[in-house]
């Protein structure tokens, strides 16, 4: 990748990183053990403070060469460093502004440009994703996947297509959501539901469970049609004009819905909506105020349920549960206690904590597609942490984490039931037996397919046959 920059410095005058925010870093090192890439490689420039040094250099007039760009690209944006930082460094704003500059001013290799065009031309567009459901379901049910694996074609796909194929969850029928669902009993709130792009396409059962739980807890639910992408993937990649366009549409949609709160059940989306005020701060007219007003009404599903308190009775679910903190829920939104309180409120549920909970699983929006090798290492690290708890069910709050960890477990030959927090609450409210919940979480819609068997080398197969004949 060639270096980039113009005379006078690496950054232009269009929303450069804030020098004052970069100056807040005192290089104390508290961020190092929480940074996934530093944990993997031990490389200073792949740590938050190292990347801030690169940003400071750019602000001082230094050009960013290909190596510097690679270090900045390799950040997952998990924000674990912000939780660990005693100085309150706003790393999220620094890396987002820097990536906005990189996106506009870096000339990437042709192959990388094509991969990014594919990823960002597909995943932020719900209609395009929904168009894939039929062909993907046919592919999954036809046996073609196993055939391609046996003849070795899956291994020959480009890395991004291999990653997409491996991550794609099992698809079932998509439950239709009503645009307005009345509360059960006395209405306590009227809430809007962000259905999401990946969540709505690949995990529609999570949205259906969210509506059932909210209505059971006295909330009228409005799920506006054609609500579009929230802009999270675009913003995290530095595609800021695109993110602003998506954000304006979401704001208009939920303003028209006239709701008390906007509920989100995907951690990355919720984090993005809460940052709309910052994202639209330089837009003209009344957009900054409208963005701030909407952001103030955004709640993660567990935040809202914890805030209003339980109303519907919970039936027992005798289960050991490993709760995995999604980075953009725990670090970006500081929502940690609420999901744990809700899960502990279900009779019979026993929570087990993961070791290294602050280390990202490697999903990080589109990171596992753009950087599959470090994502694989982080996925295996997280999968081993989940297995070490001995829990029967893993629970998380983000579709990316679900696909990354569940898919990694399947690839390791350790398939494990995985569910969203709201699905556990839904089962408890509806009286679904624990064994049925586990069965659905292992083999139902949204779960990973078993890893296809790879063809063994001929010599290995012949040696096994000889051993069997001699035995």
């Amino acid at each position: 990748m060639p270096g980039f920059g113009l005379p006078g410095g690496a950054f232009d005058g269009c929303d450069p990183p804030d020098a004052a925010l970069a100056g807040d870093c005192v290089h104390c090192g508290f961020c190092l053990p929480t940074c996934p890439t530093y944990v993997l490689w031990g490389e200073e420039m792949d740590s938050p403070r190292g990347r801030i040094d690169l940003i400071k250099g750019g602000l001082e007039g230094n050009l960013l060469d290909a190596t510097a760009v690679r270090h900045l690209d390799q950040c997952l944006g998990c924000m674990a460093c912000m939780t660990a930082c005693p100085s309150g460094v706003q790393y999220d704003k620094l890396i987002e502004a820097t990536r906005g500059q990189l996106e506009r001013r870096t000339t990437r290799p042709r192959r990388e440009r094509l991969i990014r065009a594919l990823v960002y031309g597909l995943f932020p567009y719900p209609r395009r994703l929904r168009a894939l459901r039929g062909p993907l379901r046919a592919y999954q049910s036809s046996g073609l996947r196993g055939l391609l694996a046996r003849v070795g074609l899956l291994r020959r796909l480009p890395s991004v297509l291999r990653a997409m194929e491996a991550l794609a969850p099992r698809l079932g029928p998509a439950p239709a959501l009503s645009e307005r669902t009345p509360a059960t009993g006395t209405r306590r709130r009227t809430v809007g539901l962000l259905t999401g792009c990946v969540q709505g396409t690949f995990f529609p059962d999570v949205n259906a469970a969210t509506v059932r739980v909210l209505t059971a807890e006295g909330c009228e639910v409005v799920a506006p049609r054609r609500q579009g992408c929230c802009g999270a993937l675009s913003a995290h990649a530095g595609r800021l004009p695109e993110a602003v366009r998506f954000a304006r549409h979401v704001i208009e949609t939920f303003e028209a819905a006239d709701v008390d709160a906007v509920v989100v059940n995907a951690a990355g989306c919720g984090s993005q909506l809460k940052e709309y005020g910052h994202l639209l701060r330089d837009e003209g007219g009344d957009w900054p105020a409208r963005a701030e007003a909407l952001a103030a009404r955004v709640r993660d599903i567990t935040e809202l349920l914890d805030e209003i308190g339980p109303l519907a009775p919970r039936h027992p679910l005798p289960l050991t549960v490993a709760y995995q903190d999604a980075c953009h829920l725990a670090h970006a939104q500081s929502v940690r206690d609420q999901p744990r309180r809700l899960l502990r409120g279900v009779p019979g549920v026993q929570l087990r904590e993961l070791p290294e909970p602050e280390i990202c699983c490697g999903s990080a929006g589109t990171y596992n597609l753009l950087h599959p090798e470090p994502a694989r290492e982080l996925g295996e690290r997280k999968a081993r942490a989940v297995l070490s708890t001995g829990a029967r069910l893993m629970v998380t709050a983000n579709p990316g984490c679900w696909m990354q960890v569940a898919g990694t477990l399947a690839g390791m030959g350790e398939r494990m039931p995985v569910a969203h927090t709201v699905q556990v609450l839904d089962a408890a409210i509806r009286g679904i037996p624990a064994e049925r919940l586990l069965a659905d979480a292992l083999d139902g819609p949204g779960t990973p397919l078993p890893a296809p068997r790879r063809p063994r080398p001929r010599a290995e197969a012949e040696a096994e046959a000889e051993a069997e004949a001699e035995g």
Side-chain angles (χ1 to χ4, degrees):
M1 182 189 300
F4 80 101
L6 297 174
F11 304 130
D12 60 26
C14 181
D15 189 25
D18 189 325
L21 297 185
D24 288 339
C25 177
V26 298
H27 286 240
C28 65
F30 278 86
C31 61
L32 299 183
T34 71
C35 175
T37 49
Y38 184 82
V39 167
L40 285 183
W41 305 317
E43 168 63 52
E44 177 69 18
M45 289 300 103
D46 281 310
S47 74
R49 69 181 186 184
R51 293 182 176 113
I52 289 174
D53 265 351
L54 293 174
I55 294 168
K56 286 180 178 178
L59 289 167
E60 291 166 0
N62 299 331
L63 300 185
L64 299 183
D65 62 14
T67 300
V69 172
R70 186 184 74 248
H71 290 309
L72 292 165
D73 276 349
Q74 286 176 164
C75 172
L76 288 95
C78 69
M79 307 310 159
C81 56
M82 293 176 60
T83 298
C85 181
S87 301
V89 175
Q90 297 180 58
Y91 180 82
D92 56 342
K93 293 179 173 58
L94 285 171
I95 194 67
E96 183 175 292
T98 301
R99 282 182 167 168
Q101 296 275 336
L102 297 182
E103 184 66 19
R104 291 198 321 277
R105 295 162 61 79
T106 301
T107 302
R108 300 183 185 276
R110 181 173 180 272
R111 180 177 178 275
E112 189 173 344
R113 293 200 305 272
L114 291 174
I115 289 173
R116 287 173 175 262
L118 171 63
V119 170
Y120 297 112
L122 175 62
F123 286 95
Y125 296 92
R127 293 180 66 182
R128 297 176 191 177
L129 283 176
R130 285 195 296 269
L132 287 179
R133 279 186 55 89
L136 187 54
R137 284 190 71 185
Y139 167 75
Q140 291 179 349
S141 60
S142 66
L144 181 59
R145 184 172 188 251
L147 175 62
L148 294 178
R150 286 194 297 275
V151 300
L153 288 181
L154 284 183
R155 288 179 294 144
R156 298 177 189 175
L157 290 174
S159 60
V160 66
L161 294 181
R162 284 202 311 273
M164 286 183 183
E165 197 280 337
L167 289 167
R170 190 190 308 271
L171 296 179
L177 291 183
S178 298
E179 192 159 11
R180 186 174 292 268
T181 308
T184 300
T186 302
R187 178 169 59 85
R188 303 162 80 187
R189 301 279 177 92
T190 298
V191 302
L193 175 63
L194 184 82
T195 52
C197 303
V198 172
Q199 190 83 290
T201 302
F202 296 118
F203 299 92
D205 293 73
V206 173
N207 282 339
T210 301
V211 172
R212 287 193 296 267
V213 170
L214 286 169
T215 56
E217 297 290 16
C219 295
E220 181 179 23
V221 181
V222 180
R225 303 196 191 284
R226 302 173 64 85
Q227 55 185 263
C229 178
C230 69
L233 295 181
S234 303
H236 298 162
R239 301 166 66 95
L240 300 181
E242 185 177 82
V244 167
R245 187 174 74 250
F246 288 142
R248 288 171 62 149
H249 178 68
V250 169
I251 291 168
E252 290 172 335
T253 298
F254 283 101
E255 284 177 341
D258 190 23
V259 293
D260 302 321
V262 177
V263 175
V264 188
N265 56 19
C269 300
S271 170
Q272 176 67 8
L273 264 69
K274 290 179 179 181
E275 291 295 324
Y276 272 2
H278 177 75
L279 179 66
L280 273 67
R281 65 194 183 281
D282 294 327
E283 292 295 291
D286 59 355
W287 279 110
R290 293 168 68 182
E292 289 282 6
L294 184 84
R297 289 185 287 149
V298 175
R299 298 288 187 276
D300 181 73
I301 178 64
T302 60
E303 257 186 312
L304 181 83
L305 293 174
D306 184 69
E307 180 182 310
I308 65 177
L311 183 66
R314 270 64 166 162
H315 297 84
L317 282 174
L319 286 173
T320 50
V321 169
Y323 178 74
Q324 186 257 339
D325 283 293
C327 292
H328 276 83
L329 193 60
H331 301 308
Q333 299 184 59
S334 298
V335 175
R336 300 180 185 85
D337 296 336
Q338 296 94 323
R340 287 172 168 84
R341 277 196 293 267
L342 291 168
L343 290 168
R344 289 192 180 104
V346 176
V349 167
Q350 297 179 35
L351 278 189
R352 295 189 178 172
E353 298 293 340
L354 275 63
E356 296 186 327
E358 71 283 355
I359 300 296
C360 181
C361 69
S363 172
T366 57
Y367 191 89
N368 51 3
L369 301 178
L370 301 176
H371 305 278
E373 185 54 31
R376 180 192 61 78
E377 293 183 55
L378 291 169
E380 290 180 357
R381 192 182 189 107
K382 183 65 71 175
R384 288 192 293 269
V386 172
L387 292 173
S388 74
T389 67
R392 299 182 69 195
L393 176 69
M394 179 187 129
V395 173
T396 189
N398 196 58
C401 301
W402 182 332
M403 290 188 289
Q404 173 76 353
V405 182
T408 301
L409 285 164
M412 295 166 60
E414 299 280 359
R415 295 185 71 234
M416 181 178 182
V418 179
H420 192 285
T421 311
V422 78
Q423 290 178 301
V424 178
L425 300 177
D426 179 50
I429 290 171
R430 296 166 65 200
I432 303 296
E435 295 305 320
R436 179 178 158 192
L437 172 63
L438 291 172
D440 289 344
L442 184 65
D443 291 309
T447 60
L449 297 168
R453 294 183 62 183
R454 295 180 179 178
R456 291 182 300 166
R458 182 175 178 180
E460 181 183 325
E462 290 175 350
E464 183 177 315
E466 290 176 7
E468 290 179 357
E470 292 174 0

